[in-house]
Amino acid sequence: MRSASVLLPLLLIAGCSWQRQGDGVEAAAAASATPSPRTTAVTVPADAAAAAAGTVPATPPPGAVAAGAADEGATVRNYIGVLLRGDRAAAAAYWAGGTTRLQPDDAPLHRLTDVVSLRVDTDTPIARDTARPSRLREVPIRLRILTRQGTLHYHGWYRLQPRADGSGWELSGASLQPSLD
């Protein structure tokens, strides 16, 4: 028991001595930086993250979709643009199975007519599974839609998964709510 009470302060002192000068400033700056809409978060290369964790992967994991495919945010923005232009068949092709349900998850958008302008802001996709790479992503979204009747605001998310052939992302679910912005 006595050795533990002596060992604990020594470990705390040793842990504090490993900090480099300037890390506090850089960490504070990194913590205060928030990703802007339509940007991806800064990521640590796989080898650096593995080295920090004490393991080094043999090979990097394969991508969830083909290289050069539209990212998750672009897929959502493209879908909403096609949908609000009135091309229901092209919009349905963005969904898993190539069709939307009778009552789609984003039904308020399907009922809109006379869209004058549209602003779609997507945030960094969130992994919703533990697969590596993630095969289920959720894209937070904010919409500002100007119609001839007025301005509408929505917020929510779209869930995406890789297409069966791996050529890109397809929509698997959505949740949109009106908001007062």
Side-chain angles (χ1 to χ4, degrees):
M1 183 73 162
R2 180 181 167 118
S3 63
S5 62
V6 172
L7 186 57
L8 184 58
L10 289 175
L11 289 174
L12 291 174
I13 293 170
C16 292
S17 67
W18 286 96
Q19 292 181 346
R20 295 183 316 190
Q21 293 293 339
D23 281 351
V25 173
E26 293 166 8
S32 67
T34 57
S36 62
R38 293 193 262 167
T39 61
T40 55
V42 176
T43 57
V44 176
D47 293 338
T55 61
V56 177
T59 58
V65 297
D71 67 21
E72 302 93 320
T75 300
V76 170
R77 290 187 300 273
N78 292 341
Y79 161 73
I80 291 172
V82 167
L83 176 66
L84 294 182
R85 279 193 297 276
D87 191 345
R88 302 290 188 232
Y94 279 87
W95 284 87
T99 184
T100 58
R101 299 190 308 260
L102 291 176
Q103 178 66 22
D105 297 337
D106 57 353
L109 299 183
H110 290 259
R111 293 189 294 263
L112 288 177
T113 58
D114 298 325
V115 174
V116 175
S117 71
L118 167 69
R119 179 181 174 139
V120 178
D121 292 320
T122 58
D123 287 329
T124 304
I126 302 165
R128 289 298 181 199
D129 63 357
T130 58
R132 189 169 169 199
S134 173
R135 300 189 57 78
L136 181 61
R137 306 274 177 87
E138 188 174 282
V139 178
I141 186 166
R142 287 175 312 283
L143 300 170
R144 181 181 177 275
I145 305 166
L146 179 63
T147 67
R148 290 195 172 95
Q149 292 76 31
T151 302
L152 304 169
H153 297 270
Y154 291 95
H155 71 278
W157 49 261
Y158 278 87
R159 286 217 175 118
L160 294 93
Q161 64 190 23
R163 293 192 175 279
D165 63 2
S167 64
W169 295 98
E170 64 185 1
L171 305 173
S172 63
S175 175
L176 291 178
Q177 300 83 33
S179 59
L180 302 172
D181 288 336

